[in-house]
Amino acid sequence: MSKILKSPGKYVQGQNVLGTFDEYLQGMGKRLLILIDPFVDTFIHPVLDRCFQGKDYDLNYVTFQGECCQTLIDQLADTAKSENRTCVVGIGGGKTLDTAKGAAYYAGLPMVIVPTIASSDAPCSSCSVIYHEDGTFDRYLFLDASPDVVLVDTAVIATAPSKLLVAGMGDAMATWFEARACRASGKNNQVYAKPTRAATGLAKLCWENLKRDGLAAKLAVDAGACTEAVEVVVETNTYLSTVGFESGGLAAAHGIQKGFTHIPALHRQLHGFNVAFCTLAQLVLEDAAEDLKEVLAFSKSVGLPVCFADLGYPEADPATVRNAAEKACVPTSTIHNMPFPVDSEMVYHALMAADAYGRSFSGI
């Protein structure tokens, strides 16, 4: 079995790089379909107007609305083809970016991704997480390639609430523990190959960076500052976590998170917060006591959830949690990348135990 590592064609990060966006679009043509998150349109649009002024670009801005679902992706792909667009650009949060990637894929066009928050590892990946229109998980859409360009303006990201950066830490934190499990089990990564040593190493670097710089980055963003710690954590959340999960592999944490999409009370919770708690459940499954203590301490220090109450679900219904555990164990779930067999009963008990440990750690 071959080993494969996938990553973006070009990764650009720095303060105010959005102001020179056109410099990174070589070979993309000049007829851009730009899918933009409504929450950032008001302050990103003027920056792009100044950047493209007098440069003969034809820009069609479409505001992202609704869910990252197949219907919206198809509509955007049809628009791109009917207007003879040369490139699809996604600007915003995870679902906006995943929708743009899906549209570019179906339209057969280059994709350029501009995350405005560092709340997940979606930007650099070669897959989109597709949901049903009601918000429940549909499937992964695996793309032929990673984005051609990922441009990360840390001056923009540092202005977002620190809660979003922390959510990205939750997603990135899982990267090492899941990649470690995949290597131990000998299972495939997310691109249907064995993980390279480089991918596993980058996954481990995620956790090392977060332990060293996570709290400092959160405090800096709280103060409206963009420091080297912020740069490190943004790169960790956005690039290292992507290569680490996609080429290193996923396991129980994200498998359980997919089960969480069947808990309506958690639909509006940030992806990284759900993943952080599911990481605790994975560590319970592994009986990794020392890692569990370390993750609990880190999570509390930066504000990641350690129990259902922290997720806004204080009265967790056992029947609902059990149903989520069953959904987490469907045959296609990444939970089966663990180095031992896992069933829904084990997942249910791991979730309830993780909740109890988190409540005890928080003194609840």
Side-chain angles (χ1 to χ4, degrees), residues 210-255:
L210 292 176
K211 288 188 290 183
R212 186 188 66 240
D213 291 318
L215 179 57
K218 177 196 180 296
L219 295 174
V221 170
D222 283 337
C226 187
T227 63
E228 182 58 25
V230 173
E231 294 281 356
V232 169
V233 170
V234 168
E235 182 182 341
T236 299
N237 291 3
T238 308
Y239 180 78
L240 296 178
S241 181
T242 301
V243 179
F245 99 75
E246 193 164 51
S247 296
L250 294 178
H254 274 81

Side-chain angles (χ1 to χ4, degrees), residues 28-318:
M28 307 291 170
K30 293 195 172 185
R31 296 179 54 80
L32 311 183
L33 176 65
I34 301 177
L35 181 66
I36 189 165
D37 198 307
F39 299 106
V40 301
D41 186 44
T42 54
F43 64 90
I44 295 293
H45 213 128
V47 174
L48 295 181
D49 285 344
R50 289 192 296 272
C51 174
F52 289 111
Q53 187 174 12
K55 295 177 181 176
D56 194 32
Y57 275 83
D58 182 339
L59 311 177
N60 178 11
Y61 288 91
V62 177
T63 303
F64 175 76
Q65 301 287 354
E67 184 59 80
C68 178
C69 61
Q70 191 64 49
T71 300
L72 180 56
I73 288 171
D74 289 341
Q75 289 173 354
L76 290 167
D78 289 343
T79 297
K81 288 185 284 188
S82 66
E83 296 181 352
N84 295 315
R85 295 291 157 184
T86 60
C87 177
V88 176
V89 179
I91 303 176
K95 291 193 175 184
T96 302
L97 305 183
D98 274 358
T99 304
K101 286 190 287 184
Y105 172 75
Y106 284 109
L109 295 174
M111 66 182 82
V112 177
I113 297 300
V114 183
T116 53
I117 53 177
S119 64
S120 78
D121 51 22
C124 294
S125 73
S126 65
C127 75
S128 290
V129 183
I130 310 299
Y131 295 85
H132 297 292
E133 293 183 29
D134 65 0
T136 58
F137 175 68
D138 179 1
R139 71 190 194 283
Y140 290 110
L141 172 62
F142 294 100
L143 313 176
D144 294 331
S146 303
D148 296 271
V149 178
V150 176
L151 186 141
V152 185
D153 192 326
T154 45
V156 172
I157 288 175
T159 64
S162 66
K163 180 180 180 179
L164 298 175
L165 185 73
V166 171
M169 294 186 211
D171 207 12
M173 180 176 70
T175 308
W176 163 235
F177 299 107
E178 293 187 280
R180 180 180 71 178
C182 283
R183 180 159 290 280
S185 67
K187 297 294 179 65
N188 286 349
N189 57 24
Q190 294 306 103
V191 294
Y192 300 106
K194 299 305 178 187
T196 63
R197 294 284 177 180
T200 306
L202 292 178
K204 187 175 184 181
L205 185 59
C206 284
W207 183 222
E208 293 172 352
N209 285 351
L210 292 176
K211 288 188 290 183
R212 186 188 66 240
D213 291 318
L215 179 57
K218 177 196 180 296
L219 295 174
V221 170
D222 283 337
C226 187
T227 63
E228 182 58 25
V230 173
E231 294 281 356
V232 169
V233 170
V234 168
E235 182 182 341
T236 299
N237 291 3
T238 308
Y239 180 78
L240 296 178
S241 181
T242 301
V243 179
F245 99 75
E246 193 164 51
S247 296
L250 294 178
H254 274 81
I256 298 170
Q257 185 274 325
K258 293 300 177 289
F260 273 21
T261 68
H262 295 271
I263 301 178
L266 301 182
H267 279 185
R268 295 189 177 276
Q269 189 53 265
L270 290 168
H271 170 81
F273 279 16
N274 285 335
V275 171
F277 180 64
C278 293
T279 301
L280 295 176
Q282 175 175 321
L283 294 174
V284 173
L285 285 171
E286 295 175 302
D287 195 25
E290 293 306 312
D291 288 328
L292 183 62
K293 291 176 185 177
E294 193 171 35
V295 169
L296 281 168
F298 171 77
S299 296
K300 287 298 293 183
S301 74
V302 298
L304 285 169
V306 298
C307 59
F308 278 120
D310 290 345
L311 291 171
Y313 191 41
E315 303 299 328
D317 173 55

